[in-house]
Amino acid sequence: MEPIAITGVSQTPYRERMIDKTAYDLVYEVTRDALADAGLGIHDIDNVITVSNDFVDGRTISSMAVGEAAGAHDKNISTVEGDGAFGAFYGAMRALSGFDTTLVVAHGKGSEGDMGLITNAMFDPVYQRHLGIDALTAAALQADVYMTRYGLTEEDFAEVSVKNHQNARNNPLAHLPLDITVSDVMKSERLSDPIKRLDCSPISDGAAAIIISTGRASSRSRTRPIWIRGVAHCSDAYFPGDRNLADSPALRLAVKRAYAMAGITNPLKNIDVVELYDAFSYMEPLWLEGMGFSEPGSGARLLKDGVTRMDGILPVNPSGGVLSAHALVVAGLSRIVECVLQLRGEAREHQVPGAETALAQGINGPCGQSHCVWILSVNQ
């Protein structure tokens, strides 16, 4: 198959309430800026993918409200309801099927809704939804299982929050750049044991966009192409009770396929930077285990040993991650954008020196039911 690359990226700042901008405004802004980044005009785009969520937007077929803002008039357009990394996956497939240039844009304004009510709707309507379970309480169950299985502590997870919020202090787009300690995390309000407020990502507004080009079309762009070397996704069982919440076979399978495509044989050696989906602090070590960077139950050791810090051999979430900016639906696409900036050497104050290969991850569903993994590289 012809190689494909990301040739343009854009994202907004992530803020608590963007009352001065509609979803339409956000989509237009990142579409315009991604085109400018690539040095292209809207006439150069063959195909458009918009990523949105009816529940978050508060309207049926909400994608219809932003197609025009994404420049999709008189173009082939597809819509994805889910995380932006999965929308980008669809965009990559469209590129492989013959479209030279594909724009993928995602937006989220979670501040306008009730996240407890919205995320409750992803659970089974007969047996689970009436219990009031939502993304937070489901994550608390997963964190508890993970801790119990491997003898981990709340302090282990708190260290992740400290690291990522500190990283966010070097990222002007981050929603929550904080200078905090483990003690601060432990003293913060308990929301659902063992999760405390500073273990949680914020509810952010924002948008992001990328342009995917075929190899033959990448020369039209002014930017250095960042090649998509491997990408895969996999989904686990719908019912959380049917899964081993202390492990993620869906992530393991997705990452195995992505590594095989990219020729990754030793992830800790072959990958220079990781941007993963840490909606809650416990997710970073758990997902790192699933990605093969450590053995089950030992992901927290990576941070303790300094491996995942900015000066470590595998910086994880140098942008501050989802813990520091979480626009629902956008977060996975933002991870891809951040990896592209790292590989171009354009991440400014949170740049990882010499990064050549990066891993980006998005998730869908409760407790990481589905995972989408991207391996990006400066080398074709």
Side-chain angles (χ1 to χ4, degrees):
M1 293 184 293
E2 183 177 9
I4 56 176
I6 298 174
T7 55
V9 297
S10 174
Q11 57 182 334
T12 65
Y14 298 98
R15 300 293 181 255
E16 183 174 0
R17 280 185 65 85
M18 292 185 176
I19 58 175
D20 59 328
K21 294 182 180 180
T22 65
Y24 189 100
D25 296 326
L26 295 175
V27 169
Y28 175 79
E29 181 179 324
V30 293
T31 297
R32 178 199 62 200
D33 292 349
L35 288 168
D37 180 58
L40 300 175
I42 195 62
H43 59 276
D44 295 308
I45 301 298
D46 302 322
N47 180 55
V48 174
I49 309 287
T50 64
V51 188
S52 59
N53 183 284
D54 290 4
F55 285 84
V56 176
D57 287 355
R59 66 178 74 188
T60 303
I61 320 178
S62 63
S63 58
M64 293 182 66
V66 297
E68 183 185 44
H73 174 71
D74 207 26
K75 298 182 186 296
N76 193 295
I77 181 171
S78 302
T79 60
V80 173
E81 184 157 13
D83 177 64
F86 293 79
F89 185 94
Y90 189 22
M93 290 191 291
R94 299 291 273 176
L96 292 170
S97 71
F99 289 98
D100 275 343
T101 51
T102 295
L103 169 73
V104 182
V105 58
H107 72 273
K109 294 199 72 181
S111 68
E112 296 180 353
D114 183 330
M115 279 300 122
L117 182 63
I118 291 170
T119 59
N120 170 254
M122 65 183 168
F123 293 92
D124 175 78
V126 176
Y127 297 105
Q128 296 177 334
R129 198 177 297 175
H130 71 282
L131 299 175
I133 189 170
D134 58 13
L136 170 63
T137 51
L141 291 172
Q142 184 171 41
D144 189 63
V145 170
Y146 184 36
M147 290 172 59
T148 302
R149 179 71 55 85
Y150 295 112
L152 301 171
T153 67
E154 294 181 38
E155 287 81 1
D156 291 330
F157 304 150
E159 291 187 18
V160 173
S161 184
V162 171
K163 171 183 73 73
N164 290 350
H165 286 302
Q166 183 66 41
N167 287 350
R169 287 165 60 83
N170 294 318
N171 179 7
L173 301 184
H175 181 172
L176 280 184
L178 301 174
D179 186 8
I180 56 175
T181 66
V182 169
S183 177
D184 292 330
V185 179
M186 296 300 295
K187 291 177 182 176
S188 63
E189 179 188 3
R190 288 189 173 267
L191 302 178
S192 183
D193 272 344
I195 292 177
K196 298 161 291 298
R197 185 166 298 280
L198 287 177
D199 286 310
C200 300
S201 53
I203 298 172
S204 310
D205 290 356
I210 66 172
I211 296 172
I212 301 175
S213 301
T214 59
R216 62 181 176 271
S218 63
S219 61
R220 300 181 202 163
S221 300
R222 69 173 184 82
T223 56
R224 179 183 189 179
I226 299 302
W227 300 97
I228 302 170
R229 295 289 307 279
V231 58
H233 74 90
C234 188
S235 184
D236 207 334
Y238 172 52
F239 286 102
D242 289 341
R243 291 188 255 147
N244 174 8
L245 295 181
D247 191 11
S248 181
L251 175 56
R252 292 184 186 280
L253 183 55
V255 88
K256 178 181 178 181
R257 291 172 174 169
Y259 285 169
M261 292 174 67
I264 301 293
T265 56
N266 183 339
L268 199 55
K269 182 178 180 181
N270 301 150
I271 295 174
D272 302 311
V273 60
V274 173
E275 280 282 342
L276 57 74
Y277 203 120
D278 57 331
F280 300 93
S281 59
Y282 76 87
M283 288 183 170
E284 180 170 301
L286 182 57
W287 301 158
L288 288 172
E289 293 165 21
M291 294 171 184
F293 292 110
S294 67
E295 294 299 315
S298 63
R301 291 299 318 170
L302 294 172
L303 178 52
K304 292 181 183 296
D305 294 340
V307 173
T308 57
R309 298 184 186 279
M310 281 297 292
D311 58 353
I313 62 171
L314 183 73
V316 174
N317 288 349
S319 68
V322 181
L323 273 174
S324 301
H326 189 184
L328 200 65
V329 178
V330 183
L333 192 62
S334 176
R335 310 276 66 72
I336 295 173
V337 171
E338 286 291 341
C339 284
V340 169
L341 294 175
Q342 288 288 345
L343 299 180
R344 286 189 192 169
E346 298 176 359
R348 299 183 181 179
E349 288 80 5
H350 60 284
Q351 177 68 47
V352 174
E356 295 187 350
T357 303
L359 184 156
Q361 175 212 19
I363 66 173
N364 269 333
C367 304
Q369 178 191 359
S370 303
H371 295 262
C372 189
V373 177
W374 291 68
I375 307 298
L376 304 173
S377 176
V378 297
N379 301 310
Q380 185 173 328

